[in-house]
Amino acid sequence: MRIGHWIITLIVILFVGWKWEFFLPPDEEKSQSEIRLVFLGADAMRQPLEAKIASFNQGNPNGRIKLEIYPTGSEQKLNLMLATGQAPDIWATGLEKLPTLLANKSISSISNLIFDADLAGLLPVSETLAGKIQGELFAVPFLYNPIGLFINKTMLQECGIATENSRMDRTQFEEALQRIRQKKGANVFGCLVSYYFSNLLPWLWGSGADPFPAGEKFSNLDSPEVVRILTWLNTLIVQDGLLPNPEDVDRFGMPDYMLFKKERAAMFVGRASLSAQLKDADFEWEIIPVPGDQDIRTTNILTTVLVCRKQHEKDRLLGQSLKFLISPQFQDFFANFGVVVPAERNVIVDKYLIPGGYPPLEKRQYLLNLVEDGRLFVPPVHWDEIVDLVINPNLWKLYKSNPQEIEQICKNMAAHADAILRGENVGK
Amino acid sequence: MSVSSSSKVNYLLIPALIGAIGLYLLPGLASALFSFTDYNLQSLPRFTGLANYRDVITDSLFWHSIKISFFYTAFVVPTSTLLPLFVAVILSQVKNRSFLSIVYLVPMVISPVAQAFIWIWLFNPEYGLLNTMLNALGLPSLLWLYDTQTALISICFMSLWGFGVGTMIYVASMKSIPNNVIRMTELDGASFFKTVTKVIVPHVYPTILFIAALGFIQSMQVFYPGYLMTDGGPQNATLFHMLYLFRNAFIYNKMGYALAMSTIFAVFLMLLSYGSYRFYNKRRGVA
C-alpha cells in the first residue's frame, strides 16, 4: 500500500507540473502585449541585439518585443515552429522562402501595418522586392549584401596597375592579371573565382545577362550573354591560365578572403560583408565594381526579409515593431556588426560603418553607390535546390571544359533549373 | 521461475515496450504514412500516392548517395571490426594496460563536431599535419577532402579513429575466456597464432558479429562527417545517404520525399539484417 501511495503522489505531482498553467489565472494581457521576434545568426549578436530591443521596450509601455536567437543554419528549427503552430510573430527569413511561406499560409499580409510612406526610406527596391505580391505587402526588406571586386591596392600599384579610378573594364582586368603574373609569378593568384554562383552574378549582369528573371518560372542560364561571359571566364582559366581553377584554390583549404588577406591573391570577388574580415589587413585595399562591359553595375543581393504571422489583437504592436526594426535606429546595429548593408540606406555612409573609422570614406561611398546603382538579385524559389543540384555540379565542369563545350553545359543547366522552378524532382 | 514471478518480469517490460512503441514504432509508421504525401513541414500534407517513391527511384542522386554510403560501409565495417580485435589481442598480452585503454578511449570522449574540426585541420592540404608528414617522407601532398578521388577515402580513414570502443568490448569479452583453457592450449604447445585463431576468435565470435552488425548500422547512417567536413562535396563525392535525406527534409523542405527515401532505405536495411540473421543462425545450426 505504501508503494501505491507513492505512485499516486507521483502522478499528482506530475499532473500539476505538466498542467501548471491550468492552475494559474489566464494571462491574456501578457500574450497580447508581447511580440516574439526570431533571428537566425551568430550568438555574438545576442547581447547588442538585446540592448537594441530593450531600448524599444523601454519606450513602449503598451507592449514589448521578446527576442529569440538561434544559430545560423537552424532553418529547420524555424520550420518546426511553423509546422507545430509555434510560429513567432515576426521573423527574419531569406527572400527566396517567401513564395513557399505564402503558399503554405504561414505568413500574413502586413499591408495595413506598413505603408508605402514607411518603406520610402528603404533602399530603392521595386514593389516586388519589398515583398509585395498581387498588391499586398507580405515582407519588409531587411538586409542586403552587395558583391564587389576586392583589390589589393598596394600590390596592384607595385605591379604598375592604376587604381585611382576604382573601376576596371574587362580589358583592363585582363591586362592587370597579366601584369600580376609577370611581376609576382605563379605564387600569387591574380584573382580568385569561386564556385559560388552568387559571385558569378556580377560578371553575368555586367554582360547584360539576367540568369534568373524575377518572378519567372524559367531561367536564362543558356542565354547568349551567359554563354559569352562564362566562355570568357573559361578561356581565362583553361587556355590563358590567368585565372586559377577554383579546384586549385581549394587545396589551401581556406576561404577566398583569407588568401587575399595573406596576399596570396591580388583580387577576389566577394560580398561586401567580408570587409569586416579585412579590417586588420597589412595593405591598402578597396572594393570596386566587378568589371563589366560598358555600364558597370554590381550585384546587390537581398538576403533577408522580415515576415509576420499576423494576429489581429497584436496588429498595432506588430506595426510598431516592424517600423522599429527597419528604422535607422535599429539598422545601424547591422552596419556596425558585419558590414551587411542594412535596409536603411543612410546608414551606409554613417561614420560607424566599421568601428575604428575603417574603411575610408571612398569605400563607404562605393558601398552607397552599389546599393543605389547596383542591380538587386532576388534568389528564386527552390534556390538551394538549384544551387546544390544544378549549378554547383555544372560550374565544376565549366571550369574544366573546352570553351566550345560551354554552350551545351549552359543548356543542361537551364533545362534542369527550369524543371526545379516548375517544382519537379531533378536528381543529379 | 514461477508463473507469478514470470508475469512480474513481463510487467517490468511494459515501460520499455511503451518507449519502443512510442519512440520507434509509431514514428516509423507515421514516417511511412507521410511518405505518401507532399508534406513540407509548413502546411497540411496532401496525399500524392506513390509519386514520391517514383521520384526517389528515378533520382540518380539518391542512388549515388546509396553508393557512397555503401562504399563507406564496405570500408569501415571490416576495418572497424578486425582492427579492434587485433589491438585487443595485443592488449591482452600487456600487463598494465590501463593507460593504453584510456588512450584508445580518448577519441570517443571528444564530441563528433570537435573531431570533425580536428580532422579538417589534419587534412588541410596546405598546412595540415598529414601532408607535412608526407612531405617529410619525400612524398607529394594530397588534396584529401578537396579532391573527388580522395575525399571519401579520407573520411573512411578518419572513421578508424574511434576503434577504441570495439577494442574495449573485445577485451571485456576475452576476459570471460577461462584462464585454464588458454593455459592448456599453451601446454599443448599451440603457437600464439593458433591460440588466437582456434581459441580466442571462436570464443569472441558473437562479439565480432555484434560489433560488425553495430558498425554496419552506424556506417549506413553516417551523417556528420559529410555535413560538417565536406558538405557532401567536392562534386557530391561525400554525399552520404543521410546527408541527402537531411537536405531534402530540412533544406529543400521536401519532407514527404525525404520520408520516402527513408522508408525505402529502412526496408532495404531490414532485408539485409534479416538475411544476415538467417545466415548467422544457419552457421550456428539453428533452424
Side-chain angles (χ1 to χ4, degrees):
Chain A
M1 286 301 286
R2 276 184 182 174
I3 291 172
H5 286 149
W6 276 112
I7 290 172
I8 290 166
T9 312
L10 192 64
I11 289 169
V12 170
I13 291 170
L14 279 173
F15 176 76
V16 171
W18 190 273
K19 283 282 174 192
W20 181 246
E21 304 83 7
F22 181 78
F23 300 96
L24 296 174
D27 196 3
E28 282 174 22
E29 196 179 330
K30 185 185 171 189
S31 68
Q32 282 183 20
S33 61
E34 188 173 273
I35 293 290
R36 224 175 113 225
L37 169 67
V38 166
F39 273 109
L40 303 184
D43 197 51
M45 287 170 73
R46 184 178 298 278
Q47 206 179 348
L49 261 179
E50 277 174 351
K52 285 277 174 196
I53 299 291
S55 71
F56 171 83
N57 289 341
Q58 277 172 4
N60 271 278
N62 300 329
R64 60 189 296 273
I65 295 176
K66 186 187 163 208
L67 177 68
E68 291 175 30
I69 298 182
Y70 300 102
T72 312
S74 3
E75 279 80 12
Q76 63 268 35
K77 192 170 183 71
L78 200 53
N79 283 340
L80 283 172
M81 283 182 196
L82 298 176
T84 54
Q86 304 294 315
D89 297 300
I90 304 174
W91 68 99
T93 186
L95 184 69
E96 73 280 8
K97 311 275 184 208
L98 195 59
T100 315
L101 290 168
L102 192 61
N104 297 336
K105 295 181 180 163
S106 302
I107 54 171
S108 319
S109 164
I110 48 173
S111 290
N112 64 335
L113 306 180
I114 293 280
F115 303 101
D116 286 349
D118 300 318
L119 294 171
L122 293 178
L123 293 169
V125 294
S126 70
E127 292 88 333
T128 319
L129 303 180
K132 257 188 183 168
I133 297 170
Q134 293 172 346
E136 290 279 313
L137 187 66
F138 286 92
V140 182
F142 192 53
L143 296 175
Y144 304 81
N145 208 344
I147 292 179
L149 182 70
F150 286 74
I151 59 169
N152 180 333
K153 282 182 92 167
T154 312
M155 192 187 285
L156 293 193
Q157 282 161 6
E158 280 170 18
C159 297
I161 302 160
T163 57
E164 291 78 30
N165 287 339
S166 290
R167 299 219 156 187
M168 279 190 213
D169 61 24
R170 277 210 287 277
T171 311
Q172 289 167 325
F173 177 70
E174 281 184 50
E175 283 170 8
L177 291 177
Q178 275 164 350
R179 288 205 179 182
I180 294 162
R181 169 59 54 87
Q182 284 162 6
K183 287 273 181 185
K184 297 287 175 183
N187 281 335
V188 174
F189 298 120
C191 182
L192 304 176
V193 178
S194 75
Y195 282 113
Y196 295 114
F197 185 71
S198 52
N199 288 353
L200 276 178
L201 277 169
W203 298 107
L204 298 175
W205 272 351
S207 69
D210 193 354
F212 288 98
E216 300 291 348
K217 288 212 167 188
F218 63 87
S219 72
N220 268 336
L221 283 165
D222 56 349
S223 68
E225 293 83 7
V226 172
V227 173
R228 183 165 63 89
I229 198 70
L230 291 182
T231 306
W232 174 72
L233 283 171
N234 168 279
T235 308
L236 284 180
I237 294 170
V238 178
Q239 283 189 357
D240 303 344
L242 286 173
L243 286 177
N245 189 310
E247 202 175 331
D248 295 333
V249 179
D250 273 354
R251 72 188 169 87
F252 290 90
M254 56 175 63
D256 290 356
Y257 71 85
M258 280 297 287
L259 285 170
F260 179 77
K261 197 172 176 181
K262 285 176 178 286
E263 300 190 67
R264 298 296 295 266
M267 298 181 271
F268 80 101
V269 177
R271 296 180 179 206
S273 58
L274 290 171
S275 301
Q277 309 291 337
L278 299 169
K279 274 187 288 184
D280 53 348
D282 297 328
F283 50 86
E284 197 187 346
W285 58 271
E286 181 63 282
I287 315 174
I288 67 168
V290 174
D293 277 350
Q294 296 155 5
D295 181 20
I296 300 170
R297 290 185 155 204
T298 295
T299 314
N300 185 18
I301 295 183
L302 175 54
T303 53
T304 312
V305 291
L306 292 173
V307 290
C308 291
R309 184 185 62 130
K310 200 170 142 190
Q311 290 178 351
H312 292 291
E313 71 274 17
K314 288 187 187 176
D315 272 5
R316 191 157 168 264
L317 188 56
L318 264 177
Q320 285 176 337
S321 306
L322 280 170
K323 284 173 194 171
F324 168 71
L325 292 170
I326 59 172
S327 67
Q329 179 192 356
F330 184 81
Q331 290 282 330
D332 70 348
F333 160 75
F334 287 98
N336 277 308
F337 202 82
V339 203
V340 172
V341 181
E344 172 55 53
R345 78 169 90 167
N346 294 330
V347 180
I348 312 296
V349 289
D350 191 287
K351 63 179 177 176
Y352 297 114
L353 179 63
I354 298 178
Y358 215 92
L361 186 63
E362 62 268 29
K363 211 166 294 169
R364 294 203 295 270
Q365 187 58 50
Y366 169 66
L367 287 175
L368 179 65
N369 293 342
L370 281 180
V371 173
E372 288 192 335
D373 299 337
R375 299 180 61 180
L376 196 70
F377 174 66
V378 182
V381 190
H382 304 301
W383 176 242
D384 291 326
E385 214 173 335
I386 291 173
V387 169
D388 282 347
L389 303 181
V390 179
I391 292 177
N392 282 346
N394 280 297
L395 285 184
W396 194 273
K397 287 183 204 161
L398 190 98
Y399 296 135
K400 284 190 160 184
S401 305
N402 295 320
Q404 297 77 21
E405 296 170 293
I406 305 302
E407 193 171 353
Q408 188 55 46
I409 292 173
C410 288
K411 277 184 181 165
N412 292 343
M413 270 203 288
H416 283 161
D418 289 356
I420 291 177
L421 285 171
R422 288 193 300 268
E424 295 171 15
N425 282 293
V426 169
K428 199 174 182 182
Chain B
M1 189 179 282
S2 68
V3 176
S4 61
S5 64
S6 169
S7 58
K8 271 183 188 169
V9 170
N10 288 344
Y11 284 129
L12 290 174
L13 287 174
I14 287 174
L17 197 64
I18 291 170
I21 291 171
L23 297 175
Y24 294 101
L25 192 64
L26 289 180
L29 283 173
S31 299
L33 283 175
F34 279 114
S35 70
F36 296 104
T37 69
D38 64 350
Y39 187 40
N40 62 9
L41 275 177
Q42 289 173 20
S43 56
L44 287 175
R46 282 179 310 174
F47 181 72
T48 53
L50 291 170
N52 285 332
Y53 288 88
R54 183 197 61 213
D55 290 340
V56 169
I57 288 167
T58 54
D59 181 350
S60 56
L61 211 51
F62 167 75
W63 294 110
H64 173 78
S65 68
I66 294 269
K67 191 178 82 181
I68 297 291
S69 290
F70 262 97
F71 181 92
Y72 178 81
T73 306
F75 180 90
V76 168
V77 172
T79 46
S80 66
T81 307
L82 298 178
L83 182 67
L85 179 63
F86 176 76
V87 176
V89 168
I90 303 291
L91 208 59
S92 65
Q93 305 299 309
V94 179
K95 282 189 178 171
N96 296 318
R97 54 174 175 258
S98 308
F99 174 72
L100 286 174
S101 303
I102 292 167
V103 169
Y104 292 138
L105 275 175
V106 163
M108 299 313 296
V109 180
I110 301 171
S111 80
V113 177
Q115 279 184 38
F117 281 94
I118 289 169
W119 279 94
I120 284 172
W121 275 108
L122 291 175
F123 282 132
N124 185 294
E126 192 73 3
Y127 308 102
L129 181 68
L130 294 176
N131 271 353
T132 309
M133 285 162 65
L134 284 180
N135 294 339
L137 295 169
L139 296 168
S141 295
L142 292 173
L143 289 177
W144 302 108
L145 299 171
Y146 300 94
D147 189 329
T148 49
Q149 304 292 319
T150 52
L152 185 56
I153 291 286
S154 304
I155 289 181
C156 292
F157 183 63
M158 182 200 86
S159 72
L160 296 181
W161 207 32
F163 71 89
V165 169
T167 305
M168 290 305 111
I169 294 172
Y170 280 128
V171 167
S173 180
M174 282 176 196
K175 276 185 181 170
S176 66
I177 303 174
N179 279 339
N180 55 348
V181 174
I182 304 280
R183 278 205 204 103
M184 280 169 71
T185 48
E186 284 169 359
L187 286 172
D188 287 343
S191 64
F192 175 68
F193 180 73
K194 282 246 171 178
T195 309
V196 170
T197 53
K198 299 293 179 186
V199 178
I200 296 177
V201 169
H203 189 88
V204 298
Y205 186 65
T207 311
I208 295 174
L209 285 180
F210 168 73
I211 289 177
L214 206 64
F216 178 79
I217 293 164
Q218 284 177 345
S219 305
M220 288 305 282
Q221 295 178 351
V222 68
F223 170 73
Y224 82 86
Y227 182 67
L228 294 172
M229 297 172 74
T230 57
D231 196 22
Q235 271 290 72
N236 294 327
T238 55
L239 184 69
F240 295 107
H241 174 69
M242 282 297 150
L243 181 58
Y244 188 44
L245 196 151
F246 171 82
R247 276 190 190 171
N248 273 293
F250 297 109
I251 307 289
Y252 311 150
N253 279 0
K254 290 156 63 178
M255 183 55 84
Y257 186 77
L259 290 173
M261 283 176 65
S262 152
T263 308
I264 291 174
F265 197 59
V267 169
F268 189 57
L269 281 188
M270 272 190 251
L271 288 174
L272 265 178
S273 306
Y274 180 69
S276 59
Y277 173 75
R278 288 289 298 265
F279 173 77
Y280 176 57
N281 278 348
K282 207 171 177 183
R283 289 208 51 170
R284 287 176 62 205
V286 179

